[in-house]
């Protein structure tokens, strides 16, 4: 069967900024590099500003537009809703989409609260009984090196996991004049560095190790409590002036917490947007009884592996160049050594979701998986509010 003769999966996407552009790229690209059972079609893009929306649709390859996301759910030419909006809108859109019989891909974190995430998970479980599926977009799972790390853990190559260290370090808010954004407004984002980037570390740690976090002790901190309401933007950050007025920052700038996993392992996590010089350093290290694994997204095409079963005179960390055809996902891309980028994880996310829908099975991470991450986030916040007191998840 040729790709053009395969059943279509017509996508309606809500939101067209940073994540919207990335998801659009993934939907466009996936069928050109992977043999998919369904053919994605960019049917409808939704946003509130009609002029900006139409420009985005033309740039990113969407066939039609709607200024009300509810109208997208009512259309017969949409099979799946892709949610790329701030967290305060996730629950309403996802639940309504699932009840309308649409598959759902929702950006992380799943929601702004455990209660919202529970409502979304219940809707997903009810929809699945009708053959409608939902997935949360923790894209770092699809980085080939982290997927390989999980495979090595499953194979027993590092033995029993003892330590987990997760860091996500960025610096785009280090300038105190960087202007306000929805990510700094708790009503829209739910939390700051903790939920925005720390959630990725939590999911990656649990995904790679196969273990769940059962308790935490945490500390949150906000270094800059007021920021200009407008200014010159660059990437996620930028610079502004108090002359434009100041807005209150209502989320954390940095989060640190210790954790205990089921099975006895312990962990240490850090998330910050104030680590000068670190642009997107999402790090994970896992130490076991037989070996260790270490990863840094700023060097995303490699994985460090220590094989503790080797004779001491030759033991040491080896660097695996995760670009060979035998490595996860990479055989569909470029010759060995040519490397992948940030966008490829989102393409792999589309591939896995499309395959799961075609197979009639629960995609991973499911909304239930994402709910568990949400519970960890809540426990960290509760711990910080109680002088880092221990909180069970």
């Amino acid at each position: 069967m040729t790709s053009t003769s395969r059943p279509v999966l017509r996508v309606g996407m809500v939101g067209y900024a940073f994540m919207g552009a990335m998801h659009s790229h993934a939907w466009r690209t996936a069928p050109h590099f992977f043999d998919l059972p369904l053919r994605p079609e960019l049917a409808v893009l939704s946003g509130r500003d009609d002029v900006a929306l139409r420009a985005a649709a033309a740039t990113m390859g969407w066939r039609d537009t709607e200024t009300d996301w509810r109208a997208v759910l009512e259309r017969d030419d949409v099979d799946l809703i892709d949610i790329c909006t701030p967290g305060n809108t996730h629950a309403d859109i996802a639940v309504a989409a699932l009840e309308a019989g649409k598959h759902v891909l929702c950006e992380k974190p799943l929601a702004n609260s455990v209660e919202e995430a529970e409502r979304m998970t219940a809707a997903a479980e009810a929809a699945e009984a009708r053959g409608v599926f939902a997935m949360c977009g923790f894209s770092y799972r699809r980085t080939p090196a982290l997927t390989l790390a999980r495979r090595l853990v499953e194979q027993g190559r590092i033995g029993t996991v003892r330590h987990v260290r997760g860091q996500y370090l960025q610096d785009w808010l280090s300038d105190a004049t960087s202007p306000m954004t929805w990510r700094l407004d708790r009503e829209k984002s739910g939390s700051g560095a903790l939920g925005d980037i720390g959630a990725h570390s939590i999911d990656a740690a649990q995904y790679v190790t196969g273990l769940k976090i059962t308790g935490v002790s945490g500390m949150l901190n906000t270094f800059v409590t007021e920021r200009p309401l407008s200014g010159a933007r660059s990437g996620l950050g930028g610079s502004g002036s108090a002359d434009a007025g100041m807005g209150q920052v209502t989320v954390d700038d940095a989060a640190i917490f210790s954790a205990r996993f089921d099975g006895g392992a312990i962990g240490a996590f850090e998330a910050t947007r104030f680590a000068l010089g670190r642009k997107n350093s999402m790090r994970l290290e896992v130490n076991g009884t037989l070996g260790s694994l270490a990863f840094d997204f700023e060097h995303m095409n490699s994985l460090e592996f220590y094989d503790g079963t080797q004779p001491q005179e030759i033991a040491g960390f080896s660097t695996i160049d995760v670009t060979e055809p035998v490595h996860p996902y990479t055989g569909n891309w470029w010759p060995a050594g040519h490397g992948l980028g940030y966008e490829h994880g989102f393409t792999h996310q589309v591939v896995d979701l499309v395959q799961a829908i075609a197979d009639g099975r629960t995609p991973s991470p499911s909304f239930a998986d994402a709910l568990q991450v949400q519970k960890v986030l809540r426990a960290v916040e509760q711990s910080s509010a109680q002088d880092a007191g221990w909180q069970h998840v």
Side-chain angles (χ1 to χ4, degrees):
M1 184 182 294
T2 64
S3 61
T4 56
S5 63
R6 291 175 184 174
V8 296
L9 181 70
R10 299 163 298 183
V11 180
M13 193 168 77
V14 187
Y16 53 85
F18 173 29
M19 279 298 103
M22 188 57 65
H23 282 225
S24 298
H25 179 277
W27 286 113
R28 290 195 312 268
T29 304
H32 296 291
F33 288 86
F34 291 81
D35 186 19
L36 301 181
L38 305 173
R39 178 165 52 88
E41 183 178 282
L42 282 66
V44 188
L45 182 65
S46 179
R48 292 173 298 178
D49 184 327
D50 186 56
V51 174
L53 173 65
R54 290 180 181 276
T59 298
M60 297 188 291
W62 293 87
R63 187 180 67 231
D64 201 0
T65 61
E66 294 278 5
T67 53
D68 186 345
W69 61 262
R70 296 170 185 83
V72 181
L73 272 55
E74 296 171 357
R75 294 178 60 138
D76 294 331
D77 62 344
V78 171
D79 304 305
L80 181 146
I81 302 297
D82 188 350
I83 303 170
C84 296
T85 53
N88 63 318
T89 65
H90 287 185
D92 287 346
I93 299 173
V95 170
L98 291 166
E99 290 177 347
K102 314 295 186 184
H103 305 294
V104 171
L105 171 60
C106 182
E107 255 303 319
K108 54 77 352 229
L110 187 60
N112 279 3
S113 70
V114 168
E115 292 73 22
E116 288 178 339
E118 287 175 335
R119 183 159 64 96
M120 296 168 73
T121 301
E125 291 173 349
E128 189 165 315
R130 306 189 304 272
V132 177
F133 298 97
M135 186 173 84
C136 188
F138 283 105
S139 59
Y140 286 105
R141 285 184 174 217
R142 271 77 188 193
T143 303
L146 281 180
T147 308
L148 175 62
R150 174 183 170 91
R151 182 182 297 175
L152 294 174
V153 172
E154 289 177 331
Q155 292 171 351
R157 298 294 298 274
I158 69 166
T160 301
V161 175
R162 287 175 170 167
H163 291 284
V164 180
R165 298 178 191 86
Q167 291 181 310
Y168 203 141
L169 312 177
Q170 296 179 335
D171 71 353
W172 61 274
L173 282 177
S174 296
D175 185 346
T177 71
S178 185
M180 283 291 294
T181 166
W182 67 266
R183 285 183 168 84
L184 302 177
D185 182 347
R186 183 176 179 85
E187 289 190 6
K188 292 186 175 72
S189 64
S191 65
L194 175 64
D196 185 24
I197 54 180
H200 275 304
S201 293
I202 295 166
D203 180 73
Q206 296 185 140
Y207 167 71
V208 168
T209 65
L211 304 175
K212 298 297 183 185
I213 293 174
T214 59
V216 299
S217 171
M219 178 172 61
L220 305 179
N221 198 71
T222 304
F223 299 110
V224 179
T225 58
E226 290 186 327
R227 289 185 177 274
L229 291 173
S230 64
R233 298 193 179 275
S234 175
L236 293 173
S239 61
S241 168
D243 294 342
M246 302 294 285
Q248 291 292 317
V249 175
T250 52
V251 299
D252 58 283
D253 288 328
I256 297 177
F257 67 95
S258 57
R260 187 174 296 280
F261 292 76
D262 56 7
I266 58 174
F269 291 82
E270 179 183 10
T272 180
R273 300 184 286 208
F274 275 71
L276 270 171
R278 301 298 180 190
K279 303 305 176 182
N280 200 47
S281 186
M282 187 272 200
R283 300 170 172 176
L284 183 69
E285 180 166 329
V286 183
N287 308 125
T289 55
L290 298 178
S292 295
L293 296 163
F295 170 79
D296 185 339
F297 191 78
E298 289 189 346
H299 306 280
M300 64 165 289
N301 289 292
S302 63
L303 178 69
E304 302 294 317
F305 174 49
Y306 180 87
D307 185 352
T309 68
Q310 293 293 311
Q312 199 167 31
E313 63 267 25
I314 62 169
F317 271 96
S318 61
T319 300
I320 304 170
D321 185 7
V322 191
T323 61
E324 296 287 347
V326 295
H327 290 135
Y329 304 108
T330 54
N332 290 75
W333 293 104
W334 321 122
H338 286 68
L340 301 186
Y342 176 66
E343 72 278 12
H344 289 85
F346 293 87
T347 302
H348 303 156
Q349 178 172 274
V350 163
V351 170
D352 290 345
L353 175 57
V354 170
Q355 190 64 59
I357 291 172
D359 292 344
R361 57 179 169 82
T362 307
S364 177
S366 66
F367 276 16
D369 295 328
L371 168 61
Q372 202 278 336
V373 174
Q374 202 79 44
K375 290 179 178 179
V376 175
L377 297 176
R378 179 178 66 179
V380 174
E381 288 190 308
Q382 290 173 335
S383 174
S384 179
Q386 298 174 21
D387 294 326
W390 189 258
Q391 289 289 319
H392 293 284
V393 176

